[in-house]
Amino acid sequence: STTEKPILLNNIADAEAFVSGAEVAVIGFFQEPQSAPASQFRLTAGRIPEVPFGLSTSPAVLSHYGVSANTVTLFRRVDNDRRDLDMNNRDVDAEKMTRFVRMNELRLVTEYNPVTAIGVMQSSLQFNLLLITDKMSPKHPERMRKFRASAELFKGKILFILLDSNLKSNERVVSYFQLKKSQLPALAIFHTPDDEHDVMTVDEISSERVQDFCNRFIQ
């Protein structure tokens, strides 16, 4: 795409429209658009093409979001949360910024891996719903479509997570829920404060089944 990345955000209205237009959005707040931290930020933006990056040097915008200059902020819709990375007095480079974004980019449905696991654990949402399934299955796209539609209904309440049962790094999670490969796909819901959880094996995902399962557990 030929669009300039990051997008310059010169006023509060532009910044708010930018943030509300994506599941995950990142803004770099800088005093000097040509400073060394800002150039590292541009480098990061190029590395993560699927996440929109904005840049602002407007004092009004900085004040609106309550940040100081040289701050990178990630906004996410799934739990209406934000994460700030302060770049003052620190050797924050594109490497660290990329990790910061990857760790915190929780989505409507977040795919679980060793990096997103950190963000998942730090989320303010206390309920996690995992779809434990084989991503290579021909039924996967349709399952994901229905799982995603269900996630819309519980936005701000439950974090929806996709766990690929093919990944070796996920075997521990599958065995934590005492599931065998032959029992998959399955839904597992988890209450983080007390480790309370429930599991349901599902061949077909439907919005009704997901809703019932979640509502029963929450009650």
Side-chain angles (χ1 to χ4, degrees), residues 18-19 24-30 41 51-54 62 65-68 70-76 81-87 97 100-101 104:
F18 177 79
V19 168
V24 174
V26 177
I27 301 181
F29 299 98
F30 300 100
F41 180 72
V51 174
F53 277 66
L62 270 75
Y65 287 107
V67 291
S68 57
N70 296 335
T71 303
V72 173
T73 300
L74 179 141
F75 300 87
R76 58 189 193 210
D81 212 343
R82 63 182 256 193
R83 291 284 183 267
D84 294 340
L85 177 66
D86 177 8
M87 296 170 69
M97 264 186 258
F100 166 75
V101 174
N104 292 296

Side-chain angles (χ1 to χ4, degrees), residues 11-204:
N11 55 57
I12 293 168
D14 284 356
E16 288 189 330
F18 177 79
V19 168
S20 64
E23 272 189 49
V24 174
V26 177
I27 301 181
F29 299 98
F30 300 100
Q31 216 157 3
E32 277 302 316
Q34 301 311 326
S35 64
S39 74
Q40 289 293 308
F41 180 72
R42 284 191 179 85
L43 204 59
T44 309
R47 287 183 180 184
I48 310 177
E50 71 281 15
V51 174
F53 277 66
L55 188 150
S56 189
T57 55
S58 149
V61 175
L62 270 75
S63 150
H64 177 70
Y65 287 107
V67 291
S68 57
N70 296 335
T71 303
V72 173
T73 300
L74 179 141
F75 300 87
R76 58 189 193 210
R77 196 186 295 164
V78 64
D79 53 1
N80 290 323
D81 212 343
R82 63 182 256 193
R83 291 284 183 267
D84 294 340
L85 177 66
D86 177 8
M87 296 170 69
N88 293 301
N89 317 322
R90 285 210 224 162
D91 51 338
V92 176
D93 56 6
E95 206 62 53
K96 289 185 181 150
M97 264 186 258
T98 302
R99 185 168 167 75
F100 166 75
V101 174
R102 288 297 185 212
M103 204 166 80
N104 292 296
E105 58 165 338
L106 301 183
R107 297 171 176 276
L108 210 49
V109 175
T110 301
E111 182 157 357
Y112 188 88
N113 61 44
V115 180
T116 57
I118 301 164
V120 165
M121 288 176 192
Q122 291 172 348
S123 165
S124 55
L125 298 185
Q126 297 192 336
F127 294 98
N128 294 343
L129 179 72
L130 282 71
L131 170 59
I132 304 170
T133 187
D134 171 2
K135 267 178 79 180
M136 305 308 286
S137 159
K139 291 182 176 178
H140 180 69
E142 182 56 18
R143 281 183 188 136
M144 267 307 281
R145 193 181 65 72
K146 290 181 176 163
F147 192 58
R148 213 187 139 75
S150 304
E152 284 281 2
L153 304 170
F154 290 97
K155 197 163 59 196
K157 269 197 198 151
I158 300 176
L159 201 57
F160 275 56
I161 297 163
L162 169 69
L163 190 105
D164 184 3
S165 55
N166 286 319
L167 290 186
K168 223 165 166 42
S169 57
N170 287 338
E171 283 174 0
R172 274 195 29 236
V173 183
V174 178
S175 65
Y176 174 82
F177 291 111
Q178 297 176 344
L179 286 162
K180 298 185 183 71
K181 275 251 167 104
S182 58
Q183 295 171 293
L184 301 179
L187 291 170
I189 194 165
F190 190 86
H191 185 234
T192 47
D194 57 11
D195 290 353
E196 188 75 37
H197 61 271
D198 193 10
V199 177
M200 174 170 79
T201 58
V202 282
D203 187 38
E204 292 309 322

